[in-house]
Structure formats: structure tokens, C-alpha cells
Amino acid sequence: MPGRTRIWTRTSLPLICHIFVGVLSAISWTWIGLILSVVWNWTGGWFSWTRQSDEMLRNIEKKILSCVKTVYKRFYVDIGSVVGQSDKIWTICLNEDAPRAPLVLLHGMGAGLALWCTNLDALAAHRPVYAIDLLGFGRSSRPKFSSDASKVEAQWVESVEEWRREVNLDQIILLGHSLGGYIATAYALKYPERVRHLILADPWGFPEKPSNVYEKYQMPLWVRAVATAVQPFNPLWAVRAAGPAGRWLVGKTRPDIPRKFAAFLPDADQLIPDYIYQCNSQTPSGESAFHTLMTGFGWAKNPMVHRVGSLSPRLPVTVLYGSRSWVDNSTSQLLTEHRPNSATYVQVINGAGHHVYVDKPELFNKYVLEACARADAYDPRETEAGPETSQGLDQTVGDQPPDHNVKS
């Protein structure tokens, strides 16, 4: 009997998985989506049974931000009908009267502005800092985005631009993490005269998806089957499908994230999972928009590799990577290849993962401040000869600071 089991595992199971993947690939995703929609609506009473409320999210956010020593303001910015009828962007602002160019922070998928709590004091020491909940996330409005990837990107870009106009900022330093890096780059392409420096923290959506992705990453058949089966779902669907167990699920599947904040935030093991759950147990507006943008979780339908060459050649760009991140770190190479005579600065932060801003906050803050200092010397509206160009590849070894502006 054990021999038969081994034979079945080695021969029949892979064959079944292969057939399963083939069948799923052959079936129209439109029909699969329709079936799932019917099932979702039929069970909607249970799936909507989540312990979430705006008041709970507000209170948890306030507790997380209690570790920030700098005085800050929290407010909604009405950006009008960018996507919905009356969209509002939740915003915090620190040191708004400082005379230097303001730094604007855009978070990643499924996150919110409170997760910048370990960075805000340092970054706002000498300049205004604004952090927002992207439209569709956190406490911002959750409208229904387009089902077209190009239109979704344009909607997010316009939401940032309308926010900038309403807050009355002239030129900004734009920092985006993960999905926020993708949106920040799209914004710099559309409104180059508004961006003094583009800072990309472990950005998502830059390289092309490999044609042989499963073979390249040596994924077994059962992983391919699971990936194919969940393709129609939003990335965090399980958090909502778990109902009242969703918060427990967040804590159990990602216990590493609260640990990152433990040194800075009392009760991080409770507050961070609560915050992530509250941000993602509501209507998945931004999450659905991200799902529209992506092809496979790690890649974008319209990757930036085809467009970074259109960035202003005078725009300085800083790329910050975690050495242990799962994100494809070829963005810096793509930037230097497509912008050979432009200023591109790269930092690989040793020991940091995808959440580079909290894995190594001291180093992250240091490199962001250095990028901000470069921005103070650059005006995108000047038509004279641009700044001295360099392609710097700055590698950190342990916690030792690197040399900067190394000519390649």
C-alpha cells in the first residue's frame, strides 16, 4: 500500500494538477468571474460579517500615530468627482510651514498612512511632510474604479493631482512604496513640472512578466494550480471571506509585520494586525483596482519598463531596495538603461525586505533625506542645462554608509 501511494503521488497527482491547470486556462475568465460573483452574492450575508467600522479604524490609526512626536494635522481633502461622485483623500501633515519642498508619501497595496509612523519624525524635521491614504484604501473614499488597467492608472494619477491642487502645493518630492512607487512614476510622467525628485521604495510594476515565469522560479505543479485557481480573486479576498476570523488570519499569516514595529510602538502585535484588518475588511475598492492593474501578483499589465525612458531626463530618481525583498529588483537597471544621461541613485539596504521603510528605518530615513537634499537644488521648470548627471549604484554593507554619486 505505501508503494502504491508513492506511485500515485509521483505519477497521477502531477497529471491531475496539469489537467486542472489546463482546464482552468481554457475556461473563459469572464464565465469564472460570473460564477464567483453569483456565489459571492448568494453568501453575502456571511462574507460581509466582518468586525470593521470607520470609528475602529480611526481609533487604531490614532493609537499607532501616538508614537509620532512631531505635531501633525489630520484632515480630509475633497478632490471632487475623479472616480466617484465626491472623492475624499485622508491626509496627515507635519511641519507644514517649513520653507523647503514638501515630501509626499504614497503607501503600497493594502496599507495605509499610519504605517509610515517610524519615518515621520525624521523626515519632517526640516520640511513639510504629507502622507495620504490612496483613493480606495484606508480612510479615503472607496469608489468603483474602471475595469481597464490604463484607465485605473489614470484615475489614481488624477486623484493625486487633484489632491495636490486642493492642498495648494506647487512642487513636491514624491515617495512611493510598492504600488505607491508605480503610481508616483505614472504621476511624474504626466506632471513632470510638479516633481522635484522621484523616490521609489521597493517599487512594484516595473519589469515585464517573464513568459516562462513558472519555469524561471521553479514552481511545482500544485503551486501553479493554486495560482491559477485564485487568479480571479482580489489579493486579500480571504481576509473578508474569513468574516470575524479575518483579524486572526492577518496576525497568523503575517506575524512578521507587527514584529517590525515592536521597537517603536507599544502593543504593535495587537495594533498593526488590527490596522491592516480594518484597512482591508471594507469594500475592496483600491484592492480591486490593483487587481485590474496586475497580471499575476508580481507584475503589471502595463509595466513601467516601456515608459521610464519618457521621464524628464533632468528628473533625479532615487531607488531604495531591501536586499531580501521578493520584488524584482531590476528597476534600477531599467532606469539607467533607459535614462543613460540622467541622475539615478540606487541604494540596496542590507537585511531589509519589501517593507524597507520599517525593516531598517534609520537607514531608510537617511537615504530619503539625502534624496530630499538633492531635490532642493533642482527646479523642474528651469530650461537651462540640467544638473550634473550621474548613475550611482550605492550598496550598503551591513549598516555602514556607502559612498555616493559613484560614476558607472
Side-chain angles (χ1 to χ4, degrees):
M1 184 65 70
R4 292 182 180 179
T5 301
R6 284 195 296 270
I7 293 173
W8 185 87
T9 302
R10 292 176 180 175
T11 60
S12 300
L13 184 58
L15 178 61
I16 291 171
C17 289
H18 184 75
I19 294 172
F20 180 62
V21 172
V23 170
L24 284 177
S25 300
I27 297 176
S28 167
W29 287 117
T30 302
W31 283 102
I32 292 178
L34 179 61
I35 294 169
L36 291 173
S37 177
V38 172
V39 173
W40 186 272
N41 291 332
W42 180 64
T43 57
W46 189 81
F47 282 124
S48 62
W49 186 26
T50 56
R51 295 186 58 199
Q52 67 85 17
S53 72
D54 294 336
E55 183 179 0
M56 292 174 70
L57 178 56
R58 180 175 66 250
N59 291 338
I60 294 167
E61 178 191 82
K62 187 175 181 180
K63 289 178 181 178
I64 294 174
L65 293 176
S66 66
C67 69
V68 177
K69 298 178 177 60
T70 308
V71 176
Y72 62 86
K73 295 180 180 179
R74 301 191 299 170
F75 51 93
Y76 277 104
V77 176
D78 190 335
I79 62 171
S81 55
V82 174
V83 180
Q85 291 299 314
S86 181
D87 297 324
K88 295 178 175 60
I89 298 290
W90 182 242
T91 306
I92 64 171
C93 173
L94 304 87
N95 198 12
E96 64 177 331
D97 295 326
R100 296 183 180 179
L103 172 65
V104 177
L105 310 178
L106 307 183
H107 62 75
M109 208 288 295
L113 60 80
L115 296 186
W116 297 107
C117 63
T118 63
N119 315 106
L120 294 174
D121 283 324
L123 300 183
H126 302 292
R127 73 178 62 248
V129 170
Y130 293 83
I132 67 173
D133 282 340
L134 288 169
L135 194 64
F137 291 106
R139 297 182 62 191
S140 291
S141 299
R142 293 177 178 246
K144 182 176 177 57
F145 285 80
S146 172
S147 58
D148 177 79
S150 296
K151 291 180 180 178
V152 166
E153 180 183 312
Q155 288 173 328
W156 258 324
V157 168
E158 289 310 307
S159 71
V160 175
E161 171 60 8
E162 290 301 320
W163 172 87
R164 182 201 62 78
R165 291 180 184 177
E166 291 298 325
V167 181
N168 196 27
L169 302 179
D170 184 24
Q171 297 175 344
I172 59 178
I173 303 166
L174 199 51
L175 189 164
H177 170 250
S178 193
L179 170 63
Y182 182 91
I183 296 172
T185 305
Y187 180 90
L189 284 165
K190 180 73 180 293
Y191 298 103
E193 74 280 3
R194 298 297 179 185
V195 183
R196 297 182 72 98
H197 198 115
L198 179 63
I199 307 173
L200 306 175
D202 227 52
W204 171 90
F206 277 71
E208 190 91 58
K209 181 180 179 180
S211 58
N212 60 337
V213 61
Y214 292 132
E215 290 76 12
K216 180 179 179 180
Y217 294 100
Q218 299 180 338
M219 294 182 182
L221 278 174
W222 71 268
V223 173
R224 302 185 197 185
V226 171
T228 304
V230 301
Q231 188 174 341
F233 292 93
N234 284 329
L236 299 176
W237 66 272
V239 172
R240 291 174 296 280
R247 189 267 174 222
W248 172 86
L249 184 64
V250 171
K252 286 298 181 181
T253 55
R254 293 302 306 267
D256 58 307
I257 295 181
R259 286 198 293 266
K260 300 174 190 293
F261 292 86
F264 311 93
L265 184 66
D267 301 324
D269 58 338
Q270 178 70 32
L271 290 175
I272 298 302
D274 281 348
Y275 181 70
I276 294 172
Y277 172 69
Q278 289 296 325
C279 283
N280 294 289
S281 58
Q282 303 181 50
T283 303
S285 167
E287 185 183 334
S288 296
F290 174 74
H291 187 266
T292 299
L293 287 180
M294 74 184 202
T295 172
F297 188 79
W299 296 272
K301 290 177 182 175
N302 300 320
M304 283 294 167
V305 62
H306 303 306
R307 295 176 280 165
V308 291
S310 299
L311 285 169
S312 170
R314 296 184 58 245
L315 173 66
V317 180
T318 293
V319 187
L320 304 175
Y321 274 113
S323 65
R324 299 168 60 187
S325 175
W326 58 267
V327 171
D328 188 323
N329 61 2
S330 62
T331 298
S332 57
Q333 181 181 351
L334 297 175
L335 284 166
T336 53
E337 288 177 355
H338 289 80
R339 307 174 73 235
N341 298 314
S342 302
T344 300
Y345 306 87
V346 183
Q347 293 285 0
V348 180
I349 300 180
N350 192 37
H354 180 53
H355 297 275
V356 58
Y357 58 93
V358 68
D359 283 331
K360 297 286 184 177
E362 294 84 4
L363 281 175
F364 178 85
N365 295 339
K366 174 180 181 293
Y367 298 141
V368 171
L369 291 174
E370 289 175 355
C372 290
R374 297 184 191 111
D376 291 334
Y378 167 68
D379 186 340
R381 291 174 179 158
E382 291 179 359
T383 57
E384 295 82 16
E388 179 183 355
T389 60
S390 62
Q391 299 164 21
L393 181 59
D394 300 334
Q395 300 281 348
T396 64
V397 180
D399 291 336
Q400 296 299 314
D403 295 326
H404 296 281
N405 303 335
V406 179
K407 297 271 188 174
S408 61

